[in-house]
Amino acid sequence: MKQTELVYEQTNGLVPFVYTLAGEWMYFCDMHIPQLFRYHLKKEKCECIVRFHRNDMNFYKIISHGDELWMLPFLDGEIVCFHIISREISYYEIPKEIKEKVIPFADMIFGEEEAYIFPHGNNRFLVEVDLQTHQMNTVELLKNGQDNDRLFFTGALQFQDKIYLTESFGNRFVLYDVKSKEAAILNNRYLLDNFWPKRIGRKIYFFPITITENKGLLIYDIDTSHFAEKENPLKNLLSGDVCITVASDEEIWILANKQKKLYGLDLNLEMKSEISILNFNEAEKDVYVSGAAFEERLFFNGFENGSPLIQVKDGVATMLDVGREQTLLQVYIDMVNKGNAHERKFNEINVGKSIYVYANMYGRGGVCSLY
Protein backbone atom coordinates (compact mmCIF):
# COMPACT_ATOMS: atom_id res chain seq x y z
CA MET A 1 0.00 0.00 0.00
CA LYS A 2 1.27 3.45 -0.88
CA GLN A 3 2.20 5.53 2.16
CA THR A 4 -0.21 8.39 2.89
CA GLU A 5 0.60 9.27 6.52
CA LEU A 6 3.66 9.76 8.71
CA VAL A 7 3.36 10.12 12.50
CA TYR A 8 5.63 12.80 13.95
CA GLU A 9 7.34 11.92 17.22
CA GLN A 10 9.76 14.23 18.97
CA THR A 11 13.04 12.92 20.36
CA ASN A 12 14.45 13.48 23.82
CA GLY A 13 17.96 12.79 22.60
CA LEU A 14 20.39 14.23 20.10
CA VAL A 15 19.22 16.11 17.01
CA PRO A 16 21.50 16.07 13.94
CA PHE A 17 21.69 19.58 12.52
CA VAL A 18 24.55 18.78 10.14
CA TYR A 19 25.34 15.27 8.93
CA THR A 20 26.88 13.18 6.18
CA LEU A 21 27.08 9.49 5.29
CA ALA A 22 30.24 7.41 5.05
CA GLY A 23 29.60 3.71 4.49
CA GLU A 24 27.02 2.46 6.99
CA TRP A 25 27.65 5.38 9.33
CA MET A 26 26.00 8.75 9.63
CA TYR A 27 28.39 11.33 11.08
CA PHE A 28 26.64 14.29 12.67
CA CYS A 29 26.70 17.19 15.12
CA ASP A 30 23.96 18.45 17.40
CA MET A 31 23.77 22.25 17.29
CA HIS A 32 24.25 22.52 21.08
CA ILE A 33 26.96 19.92 21.76
CA PRO A 34 30.68 20.48 20.95
CA GLN A 35 31.17 16.87 19.87
CA LEU A 36 31.11 14.76 16.71
CA PHE A 37 28.84 11.69 16.82
CA ARG A 38 28.20 8.78 14.52
CA TYR A 39 25.15 6.56 14.08
CA HIS A 40 25.15 3.12 12.46
CA LEU A 41 22.21 3.04 10.06
CA LYS A 42 21.64 -0.74 10.33
CA LYS A 43 22.59 -1.46 13.96
CA GLU A 44 20.88 1.78 15.13
CA LYS A 45 23.78 2.51 17.48
CA CYS A 46 24.91 6.04 18.33
CA GLU A 47 28.28 7.01 19.83
CA CYS A 48 30.50 10.03 20.38
CA ILE A 49 33.81 9.82 18.54
CA VAL A 50 35.52 13.16 19.21
CA ARG A 51 35.15 16.24 21.35
CA PHE A 52 36.07 19.60 19.82
CA HIS A 53 38.65 21.83 21.45
CA ARG A 54 36.15 24.66 21.99
CA ASN A 55 32.83 24.44 23.81
CA ASP A 56 31.08 26.91 21.49
CA MET A 57 31.77 25.15 18.20
CA ASN A 58 28.90 24.37 15.85
CA PHE A 59 28.74 23.75 12.13
CA TYR A 60 26.67 24.53 9.05
CA LYS A 61 27.77 21.60 6.90
CA ILE A 62 29.73 18.33 7.07
CA ILE A 63 31.13 16.89 3.84
CA SER A 64 32.62 13.40 3.46
CA HIS A 65 35.54 12.86 1.08
CA GLY A 66 37.50 9.61 1.17
CA ASP A 67 38.59 9.02 4.77
CA GLU A 68 38.10 12.67 5.74
CA LEU A 69 35.22 14.69 7.09
CA TRP A 70 35.32 18.44 6.48
CA MET A 71 33.21 20.70 8.71
CA LEU A 72 32.29 24.29 7.83
CA PRO A 73 31.42 26.67 10.69
CA PHE A 74 27.93 27.94 11.47
CA LEU A 75 29.07 30.91 13.53
CA ASP A 76 32.46 32.55 13.81
CA GLY A 77 34.74 29.53 14.22
CA GLU A 78 37.19 27.36 12.34
CA ILE A 79 37.26 24.97 9.40
CA VAL A 80 37.72 21.44 10.79
CA CYS A 81 39.05 18.26 9.17
CA PHE A 82 38.56 14.89 10.88
CA HIS A 83 40.27 11.69 9.66
CA ILE A 84 37.85 8.78 10.10
CA ILE A 85 40.52 6.06 10.34
CA SER A 86 43.19 7.73 12.48
CA ARG A 87 40.66 9.94 14.33
CA GLU A 88 43.07 12.84 14.04
CA ILE A 89 41.41 16.24 14.00
CA SER A 90 42.82 19.46 12.54
CA TYR A 91 41.59 23.03 12.97
CA TYR A 92 42.15 25.76 10.39
CA GLU A 93 41.54 29.45 10.92
CA ILE A 94 39.23 31.15 8.45
CA PRO A 95 41.33 33.26 6.05
CA LYS A 96 41.60 36.86 7.24
CA GLU A 97 40.06 38.25 4.04
CA ILE A 98 36.69 36.71 4.92
CA LYS A 99 34.63 39.10 7.03
CA GLU A 100 31.34 37.18 7.22
CA LYS A 101 30.87 35.76 10.73
CA VAL A 102 27.56 33.86 10.32
CA ILE A 103 27.66 30.91 7.88
CA PRO A 104 30.61 32.21 5.83
CA PHE A 105 30.63 29.15 3.53
CA ALA A 106 27.88 27.50 1.47
CA ASP A 107 29.54 24.23 0.48
CA MET A 108 32.76 22.37 -0.27
CA ILE A 109 33.33 20.67 -3.61
CA PHE A 110 36.19 18.27 -4.39
CA GLY A 111 38.43 17.85 -7.40
CA GLU A 112 41.29 15.39 -7.89
CA GLU A 113 43.98 17.41 -6.12
CA GLU A 114 42.12 20.43 -4.78
CA ALA A 115 38.89 21.19 -2.99
CA TYR A 116 36.92 24.42 -3.21
CA ILE A 117 35.06 26.02 -0.31
CA PHE A 118 32.43 28.36 -1.70
CA PRO A 119 31.18 31.57 -0.08
CA HIS A 120 27.92 32.25 1.68
CA GLY A 121 26.61 35.58 2.91
CA ASN A 122 28.69 38.73 2.66
CA ASN A 123 31.79 36.86 1.54
CA ARG A 124 33.27 37.22 -1.93
CA PHE A 125 36.15 34.76 -1.48
CA LEU A 126 36.43 31.16 -2.61
CA VAL A 127 38.94 29.07 -0.61
CA GLU A 128 41.13 26.62 -2.51
CA VAL A 129 42.37 23.68 -0.41
CA ASP A 130 45.31 21.47 -1.36
CA LEU A 131 44.05 17.98 -0.45
CA GLN A 132 47.55 16.70 0.36
CA THR A 133 48.92 19.55 2.47
CA HIS A 134 45.62 21.23 3.45
CA GLN A 135 47.17 24.58 2.51
CA MET A 136 44.46 27.16 1.83
CA ASN A 137 44.45 30.06 -0.63
CA THR A 138 41.70 32.59 -1.34
CA VAL A 139 40.32 33.66 -4.71
CA GLU A 140 38.20 36.81 -5.03
CA LEU A 141 35.15 35.78 -7.10
CA LEU A 142 33.69 39.24 -7.63
CA LYS A 143 36.09 42.17 -7.52
CA ASN A 144 35.26 45.41 -5.77
CA GLY A 145 33.53 47.62 -8.30
CA GLN A 146 31.62 44.74 -9.89
CA ASP A 147 29.03 44.78 -7.14
CA ASN A 148 29.36 48.14 -5.36
CA ASP A 149 30.96 46.29 -2.43
CA ARG A 150 27.64 44.67 -1.47
CA LEU A 151 26.71 41.05 -2.12
CA PHE A 152 25.18 37.97 -0.51
CA PHE A 153 25.96 34.51 -1.85
CA THR A 154 23.28 31.91 -1.11
CA GLY A 155 24.36 28.63 -2.72
CA ALA A 156 26.78 26.73 -4.97
CA LEU A 157 26.27 23.76 -7.32
CA GLN A 158 28.75 21.72 -9.33
CA PHE A 159 28.53 20.37 -12.87
CA GLN A 160 31.73 18.81 -14.18
CA ASP A 161 34.45 21.51 -13.96
CA LYS A 162 31.96 24.34 -13.54
CA ILE A 163 30.52 25.78 -10.32
CA TYR A 164 27.29 27.78 -10.41
CA LEU A 165 26.66 30.28 -7.60
CA THR A 166 23.64 32.44 -6.79
CA GLU A 167 24.08 35.92 -5.34
CA SER A 168 20.87 37.50 -4.11
CA PHE A 169 21.73 41.13 -3.35
CA GLY A 170 22.72 41.98 -6.91
CA ASN A 171 20.62 39.13 -8.35
CA ARG A 172 23.62 37.56 -10.08
CA PHE A 173 24.17 34.06 -11.39
CA VAL A 174 27.91 33.43 -11.27
CA LEU A 175 29.91 30.72 -13.07
CA TYR A 176 33.32 29.69 -11.73
CA ASP A 177 35.54 27.57 -14.00
CA VAL A 178 37.75 25.27 -11.93
CA LYS A 179 40.26 24.75 -14.75
CA SER A 180 40.74 28.37 -15.78
CA LYS A 181 40.12 29.64 -12.22
CA GLU A 182 37.98 32.46 -13.58
CA ALA A 183 34.55 33.72 -12.57
CA ALA A 184 31.94 35.21 -14.90
CA ILE A 185 28.49 36.71 -14.37
CA LEU A 186 25.91 34.94 -16.55
CA ASN A 187 22.98 36.66 -18.23
CA ASN A 188 19.88 36.54 -16.06
CA ARG A 189 16.67 38.58 -15.90
CA TYR A 190 14.97 36.58 -13.13
CA LEU A 191 14.97 37.23 -9.40
CA LEU A 192 16.98 34.46 -7.74
CA ASP A 193 16.29 35.36 -4.12
CA ASN A 194 14.07 33.00 -2.09
CA PHE A 195 14.95 29.89 -4.12
CA TRP A 196 16.56 26.50 -3.41
CA PRO A 197 18.83 25.72 -6.41
CA LYS A 198 19.09 21.97 -7.10
CA ARG A 199 20.98 20.35 -9.97
CA ILE A 200 19.23 17.42 -11.61
CA GLY A 201 21.12 16.06 -14.59
CA ARG A 202 22.01 18.91 -16.95
CA LYS A 203 19.51 21.36 -15.48
CA ILE A 204 19.38 23.49 -12.34
CA TYR A 205 15.94 23.76 -10.74
CA PHE A 206 15.12 26.75 -8.53
CA PHE A 207 12.37 25.80 -6.06
CA PRO A 208 10.75 28.55 -3.94
CA ILE A 209 11.59 28.55 -0.23
CA THR A 210 8.87 30.81 1.17
CA ILE A 211 5.60 30.57 -0.73
CA THR A 212 4.30 33.86 -2.13
CA GLU A 213 1.64 34.66 -4.72
CA ASN A 214 2.42 33.46 -8.25
CA LYS A 215 5.71 31.94 -7.17
CA GLY A 216 6.56 29.27 -9.70
CA LEU A 217 9.81 27.49 -10.54
CA LEU A 218 12.82 28.54 -12.54
CA ILE A 219 14.80 26.02 -14.58
CA TYR A 220 18.27 26.76 -15.95
CA ASP A 221 19.42 24.64 -18.88
CA ILE A 222 23.19 24.13 -18.63
CA ASP A 223 23.52 23.24 -22.33
CA THR A 224 21.67 26.28 -23.68
CA SER A 225 22.56 28.69 -20.82
CA HIS A 226 18.95 29.88 -20.61
CA PHE A 227 16.33 30.20 -17.86
CA ALA A 228 12.69 29.16 -18.23
CA GLU A 229 9.70 29.62 -15.95
CA LYS A 230 7.42 26.75 -14.96
CA GLU A 231 4.29 26.52 -12.86
CA ASN A 232 4.75 25.12 -9.36
CA PRO A 233 3.50 21.50 -9.39
CA LEU A 234 2.33 21.82 -5.77
CA LYS A 235 -1.12 23.39 -5.57
CA ASN A 236 -2.87 25.11 -2.67
CA LEU A 237 0.29 25.78 -0.69
CA LEU A 238 -0.24 28.21 2.18
CA SER A 239 1.12 31.74 1.78
CA GLY A 240 4.24 32.19 3.86
CA ASP A 241 4.87 28.46 4.14
CA VAL A 242 8.52 27.44 4.19
CA CYS A 243 9.12 24.51 1.84
CA ILE A 244 12.31 22.45 2.01
CA THR A 245 13.32 20.75 -1.24
CA VAL A 246 15.69 17.78 -1.52
CA ALA A 247 16.51 16.29 -4.93
CA SER A 248 18.47 13.33 -6.24
CA ASP A 249 19.08 12.09 -9.78
CA GLU A 250 15.87 10.05 -9.57
CA GLU A 251 13.35 11.97 -7.48
CA ILE A 252 12.39 15.22 -5.76
CA TRP A 253 10.88 15.53 -2.29
CA ILE A 254 9.44 18.68 -0.75
CA LEU A 255 8.41 19.21 2.90
CA ALA A 256 5.83 21.96 3.50
CA ASN A 257 5.97 23.02 7.17
CA LYS A 258 2.58 24.75 7.46
CA GLN A 259 0.85 22.36 5.08
CA LYS A 260 2.26 19.53 7.25
CA LYS A 261 2.93 17.36 4.22
CA LEU A 262 5.67 15.61 2.27
CA TYR A 263 5.39 15.62 -1.50
CA GLY A 264 7.27 13.22 -3.79
CA LEU A 265 7.77 14.21 -7.45
CA ASP A 266 9.38 12.51 -10.40
CA LEU A 267 11.91 14.30 -12.60
CA ASN A 268 9.09 15.54 -14.83
CA LEU A 269 7.63 17.28 -11.75
CA GLU A 270 4.67 14.92 -11.71
CA MET A 271 3.26 14.07 -8.28
CA LYS A 272 4.06 10.53 -7.05
CA SER A 273 3.38 10.79 -3.31
CA GLU A 274 1.51 13.03 -0.90
CA ILE A 275 2.13 12.15 2.74
CA SER A 276 0.37 13.93 5.61
CA ILE A 277 2.52 14.41 8.73
CA LEU A 278 0.32 13.71 11.74
CA ASN A 279 0.77 15.17 15.22
CA PHE A 280 3.00 17.86 13.74
CA ASN A 281 3.57 21.60 13.94
CA GLU A 282 0.40 22.86 15.62
CA ALA A 283 2.02 26.29 16.04
CA GLU A 284 2.84 26.38 12.29
CA LYS A 285 6.51 27.17 12.85
CA ASP A 286 9.45 26.51 10.54
CA VAL A 287 10.28 23.15 12.11
CA TYR A 288 12.35 21.69 9.26
CA VAL A 289 14.91 24.06 7.78
CA SER A 290 17.17 22.01 5.52
CA GLY A 291 17.80 18.62 3.94
CA ALA A 292 20.33 16.48 2.09
CA ALA A 293 20.31 13.71 -0.51
CA PHE A 294 22.66 10.73 -0.65
CA GLU A 295 22.82 7.70 -2.96
CA GLU A 296 20.03 5.60 -1.43
CA ARG A 297 18.23 7.98 0.91
CA LEU A 298 17.48 11.59 1.66
CA PHE A 299 16.78 13.51 4.85
CA PHE A 300 15.05 16.57 6.26
CA ASN A 301 16.45 18.11 9.43
CA GLY A 302 15.27 20.70 11.92
CA PHE A 303 16.99 23.32 14.02
CA GLU A 304 15.30 23.04 17.39
CA ASN A 305 15.75 20.34 20.02
CA GLY A 306 13.27 17.52 19.67
CA SER A 307 13.09 17.54 15.85
CA PRO A 308 14.17 14.09 14.60
CA LEU A 309 15.46 13.49 11.11
CA ILE A 310 12.88 12.54 8.51
CA GLN A 311 14.31 9.89 6.18
CA VAL A 312 12.98 8.91 2.76
CA LYS A 313 14.28 5.60 1.39
CA ASP A 314 12.72 3.57 -1.43
CA GLY A 315 9.79 5.98 -1.45
CA VAL A 316 8.98 5.38 2.25
CA ALA A 317 9.22 8.20 4.81
CA THR A 318 10.20 7.41 8.43
CA MET A 319 11.23 9.28 11.57
CA LEU A 320 14.90 8.52 12.27
CA ASP A 321 15.63 9.02 15.98
CA VAL A 322 19.42 8.70 15.86
CA GLY A 323 20.14 9.65 19.46
CA ARG A 324 17.30 8.17 21.43
CA GLU A 325 19.62 6.28 23.78
CA GLN A 326 21.58 9.43 24.64
CA THR A 327 19.74 12.40 26.14
CA LEU A 328 21.36 15.81 26.22
CA LEU A 329 21.71 15.54 29.98
CA GLN A 330 23.62 12.26 29.69
CA VAL A 331 25.97 13.81 27.11
CA TYR A 332 26.61 16.82 29.32
CA ILE A 333 27.28 14.63 32.37
CA ASP A 334 29.78 12.63 30.32
CA MET A 335 31.50 15.87 29.28
CA VAL A 336 31.73 17.01 32.88
CA ASN A 337 33.08 13.66 34.08
CA LYS A 338 35.80 13.68 31.42
CA GLY A 339 36.78 17.29 32.13
CA ASN A 340 38.30 19.05 35.10
CA ALA A 341 35.87 20.14 37.78
CA HIS A 342 37.24 23.71 37.86
CA GLU A 343 36.79 24.08 34.08
CA ARG A 344 33.24 22.78 33.57
CA LYS A 345 30.17 22.63 35.69
CA PHE A 346 26.40 22.74 35.54
CA ASN A 347 25.23 26.12 36.73
CA GLU A 348 21.56 25.19 36.61
CA ILE A 349 19.67 21.92 36.66
CA ASN A 350 15.90 22.22 36.65
CA VAL A 351 14.53 18.73 36.29
CA GLY A 352 10.93 19.90 36.51
CA LYS A 353 11.21 21.99 33.36
CA SER A 354 13.86 19.73 31.82
CA ILE A 355 16.12 22.69 31.06
CA TYR A 356 19.85 22.28 31.50
CA VAL A 357 22.39 25.04 31.16
CA TYR A 358 26.00 24.13 30.56
CA ALA A 359 28.68 26.78 31.13
CA ASN A 360 32.45 26.90 31.04
CA MET A 361 35.15 29.10 32.49
CA TYR A 362 35.10 31.43 29.49
CA GLY A 363 31.49 32.38 30.03
CA ARG A 364 30.20 30.58 26.94
CA GLY A 365 27.32 28.21 27.25
CA GLY A 366 24.11 26.84 25.79
CA VAL A 367 20.54 26.34 26.89
CA CYS A 368 18.92 23.07 25.89
CA SER A 369 15.29 22.22 26.38
CA LEU A 370 14.74 18.47 26.27
CA TYR A 371 10.98 18.66 25.79
Side-chain angles (χ1 to χ4, degrees):
M1 180 180 295
K2 191 173 183 180
Q3 183 179 7
T4 59
E5 295 179 346
L6 173 66
V7 178
Y8 179 77
E9 295 181 2
Q10 286 190 310
T11 177
N12 295 329
L14 304 172
V15 177
F17 179 69
V18 290
Y19 47 91
T20 190
L21 300 189
E24 294 295 331
W25 292 96
M26 169 185 285
Y27 291 84
F28 72 93
C29 292
D30 184 293
M31 175 59 73
H32 304 284
I33 310 288
Q35 297 182 0
L36 175 66
F37 299 88
R38 68 176 184 174
Y39 174 78
H40 198 282
L41 294 165
K42 289 186 177 180
K43 298 179 181 178
E44 299 184 354
K45 176 184 178 182
C46 182
E47 62 186 19
C48 172
I49 56 175
V50 70
R51 176 180 171 180
F52 301 119
H53 71 158
R54 281 169 43 184
N55 288 333
D56 61 346
M57 297 196 76
N58 47 41
F59 300 94
Y60 175 70
K61 185 159 285 191
I62 301 179
I63 309 99
S64 172
H65 178 72
D67 292 331
E68 293 180 334
L69 302 178
W70 286 84
M71 288 165 263
L72 307 180
F74 183 83
L75 298 176
D76 185 18
E78 296 156 292
I79 299 168
V80 176
C81 180
F82 175 76
H83 197 281
I84 295 174
I85 306 302
S86 68
R87 300 208 174 184
E88 294 181 356
I89 189 166
S90 302
Y91 300 90
Y92 302 98
E93 292 186 2
I94 296 175
K96 62 182 183 301
E97 298 95 333
I98 297 170
K99 307 303 181 185
E100 178 64 77
K101 301 300 182 184
V102 180
I103 314 179
F105 305 112
D107 208 344
M108 187 172 185
I109 296 169
F110 294 85
E112 292 183 2
E113 298 179 354
E114 287 185 314
Y116 307 89
I117 304 177
F118 282 86
H120 181 272
N122 185 24
N123 168 22
R124 68 183 69 242
F125 291 94
L126 169 149
V127 179
E128 294 181 334
V129 183
D130 186 301
L131 291 176
Q132 293 297 320
T133 65
H134 290 181
Q135 179 179 345
M136 298 186 185
N137 301 306
T138 56
V139 176
E140 192 173 11
L141 287 176
L142 293 178
K143 307 289 185 181
N144 285 330
Q146 282 184 279
D147 48 26
N148 298 321
D149 298 331
R150 301 181 69 184
L151 51 73
F152 196 95
F153 280 106
T154 56
L157 294 169
Q158 179 184 18
F159 179 74
Q160 296 176 350
D161 294 323
K162 305 290 193 300
I163 311 294
Y164 295 85
L165 302 101
T166 53
E167 190 281 309
S168 63
F169 187 86
N171 194 45
R172 278 170 286 255
F173 196 42
V174 179
L175 173 65
Y176 180 76
D177 190 306
V178 171
K179 287 187 175 180
S180 67
K181 299 186 181 300
E182 294 182 352
I185 300 175
L186 303 177
N187 292 328
N188 166 47
R189 63 183 180 88
Y190 296 99
L191 293 175
L192 300 180
D193 193 18
N194 189 39
F195 281 105
W196 290 99
K198 303 290 180 181
R199 185 181 69 81
I200 303 174
R202 305 181 74 90
K203 294 181 179 180
I204 298 175
Y205 290 72
F206 291 79
F207 295 90
I209 303 172
T210 302
I211 301 303
T212 60
E213 292 184 4
N214 302 319
K215 180 64 72 174
L217 311 180
L218 294 176
I219 301 176
Y220 179 80
D221 191 306
I222 294 174
D223 293 326
T224 64
S225 301
H226 284 95
F227 279 94
E229 292 180 283
K230 190 174 181 63
E231 184 179 2
N232 195 324
L234 304 186
K235 310 301 181 184
N236 303 319
L237 288 174
L238 300 175
S239 178
D241 200 352
V242 172
C243 294
I244 310 303
T245 302
V246 182
S248 69
D249 290 336
E250 298 180 355
E251 58 186 352
I252 302 163
W253 284 82
I254 300 173
L255 187 152
N257 278 283
K258 287 186 178 181
Q259 198 79 2
K260 307 174 186 178
K261 287 187 178 182
L262 272 172
Y263 300 95
L265 311 175
D266 63 22
L267 298 188
N268 295 318
L269 301 180
E270 298 292 333
M271 185 77 68
K272 295 195 310 178
S273 301
E274 182 175 324
I275 301 173
S276 296
I277 308 176
L278 306 182
N279 190 33
F280 175 68
N281 201 11
E282 293 181 1
E284 295 190 346
K285 298 164 58 179
D286 301 336
V287 178
Y288 285 89
V289 297
S290 187
F294 300 93
E295 288 187 2
E296 297 181 348
R297 61 189 86 204
L298 55 84
F299 301 96
F300 295 91
N301 64 274
F303 179 83
E304 297 182 349
N305 291 321
S307 303
L309 285 176
I310 294 179
Q311 173 188 262
V312 180
K313 186 177 186 295
D314 299 327
V316 177
T318 55
M319 290 288 166
L320 194 62
D321 195 350
V322 305
R324 61 179 179 269
E325 65 276 286
Q326 288 184 282
T327 67
L328 293 179
L329 177 59
Q330 291 170 327
V331 172
Y332 277 135
I333 290 174
D334 183 61
M335 289 171 61
V336 172
N337 290 338
K338 290 181 179 179
N340 295 323
H342 70 278
E343 290 181 346
R344 299 173 184 86
K345 64 178 181 179
F346 288 109
N347 66 5
E348 178 183 345
I349 299 181
N350 188 329
V351 178
K353 294 182 180 180
S354 297
I355 296 177
Y356 305 92
V357 181
Y358 176 84
N360 60 50
M361 62 184 296
Y362 302 106
R364 302 186 183 99
V367 179
C368 298
S369 174
L370 302 190
Y371 298 99

